[in-house]
Amino acid sequence: MGVADGCVTNLVPANIPLRHPLLILILSQLGDFDSLEYAWWLQKDRALVADLNVVAVGIGDRAAGQKFCDYTGFNPEKLFIDPTATLHQKLGLYSGLQWNFPGLKAGQQAWVNLMLMCAGIASPGTLKEVLRGYTGDKNAPQLFGDEETIKAPPLPELKGKFFETAGGKGFQRPLELATLRLRNMGEVLGNWSTYVPDASYMTQRGGTFLFDTDGELLYEHRDRGILGFAENMSRPLSFLGDIKFKSSTT
């Protein structure tokens, strides 16, 4: 179902040639950290996707999709929703930890499994990625502009130049990514029932698929755990540079 019009439709109209390479993002729950962070990178590195047709499918309902677009700036005409992660399952994407805890309902089961994944169980790379958010990363770009105002309760309102005191400029400074994630967490927790209408699918992971104008699959990434939505988390969209160059010369 499309978020913009609420109609059931195809991601790509049938029998119509692609005019631009197609980047399909299969997102996890729309209130998931990965989904919000991925959408943030699309805005930050929008020059990398300027010549692509970018569409996304996320887990939730239309209200969740509208809230997601309002917060992230993602185009609602390019966002589709899959309330029961049917597409994710058909693509064989990682469903996450699925341990069964007697006496708990489906949503409660998912909550416990999600917390275990956040602790690194059946979620490779998660703890390392959480740590990177606190310690900084000289291989990643600076995330906030010096004069950018950052609101991430319970922290006081900050200016981006605050992080210069933690390590410098021109790269991801200590605590910078952790602050971005804290801001996202506050957004979701403050609007939980909207972002997560059904908690049963919180552990489900997503994937990234890039097609050329002939419909040939050029690239894919299948998420292996929480905070693993890209092969290179320092620069999640860096794969596009080489692949766009190769496709333009074939």
Side-chain angles (χ1 to χ4, degrees):
M1 178 187 295
V3 169
D5 57 15
C7 297
V8 177
T9 185
N10 294 324
L11 290 179
V12 183
N15 301 319
I16 297 179
L18 296 175
R19 297 180 59 187
H20 301 281
L22 175 64
L23 180 63
I24 299 180
L25 312 179
I26 309 299
L27 302 175
S28 48
Q29 193 95 42
L30 289 174
D32 190 277
F33 288 166
D34 292 40
S35 300
L36 296 172
E37 196 167 316
Y38 207 161
W40 183 88
W41 277 104
L42 288 172
Q43 292 293 324
K44 181 174 179 59
D45 285 346
R46 51 187 173 271
L48 287 175
V49 298
D51 295 328
L52 302 179
N53 182 14
V54 182
V55 298
V57 180
I59 303 171
D61 58 16
R62 192 181 178 196
Q66 291 169 332
K67 188 66 175 174
F68 178 87
C69 292
D70 289 344
Y71 178 66
T72 66
F74 195 88
N75 184 351
E77 294 184 356
K78 298 293 185 177
L79 179 62
F80 301 83
I81 51 175
D82 184 352
T84 57
T86 301
L87 180 59
H88 300 66
Q89 294 157 17
K90 287 183 177 179
L91 291 172
L93 298 174
Y94 181 40
S95 60
L97 192 61
Q98 297 289 304
W99 285 355
N100 183 42
F101 299 93
L104 297 183
K105 297 179 181 179
Q108 296 169 326
Q109 301 266 7
W111 255 114
V112 176
N113 281 309
L114 182 69
M115 293 300 101
L116 292 172
M117 290 179 68
C118 288
I121 298 174
S123 187
T126 296
L127 292 181
K128 180 180 178 181
E129 181 57 25
V130 170
L131 181 63
R132 189 178 71 88
Y134 288 98
T135 60
D137 181 356
K138 291 193 175 181
N139 293 315
Q142 181 173 323
L143 304 184
F144 296 119
D146 290 347
E147 298 305 316
E148 183 176 350
T149 300
I150 305 159
K151 298 178 181 180
L155 296 179
E157 187 173 296
L158 304 171
K159 288 287 188 180
K161 62 184 177 182
F162 165 82
F163 295 98
E164 185 175 345
T165 63
K169 297 181 65 173
F171 63 94
Q172 181 193 303
R173 288 73 61 87
L175 301 178
E176 196 173 11
L177 180 55
T179 301
L180 174 65
R181 290 169 175 167
L182 179 63
R183 184 172 69 182
N184 288 343
M185 182 174 69
E187 165 69 13
V188 173
L189 292 181
N191 301 279
W192 179 258
S193 60
T194 302
Y195 275 110
V196 188
D198 184 349
S200 302
Y201 307 97
M202 289 195 301
T203 62
Q204 176 68 56
R205 299 296 92 195
T208 299
F209 302 88
L210 176 67
F211 299 87
D212 67 13
T213 53
D214 294 325
E216 178 185 353
L217 180 64
L218 298 175
Y219 174 86
E220 69 174 279
H221 172 77
R222 294 169 179 266
D223 306 354
R224 298 182 295 272
I226 294 172
L227 296 178
F229 60 84
E231 192 68 33
N232 179 5
M233 288 295 291
S234 296
R235 295 179 180 269
L237 296 172
S238 60
F239 70 91
L240 288 172
D242 290 339
I243 293 175
K244 286 176 67 179
F245 173 78
K246 291 175 183 176
S247 65
S248 65
T249 59
T250 55

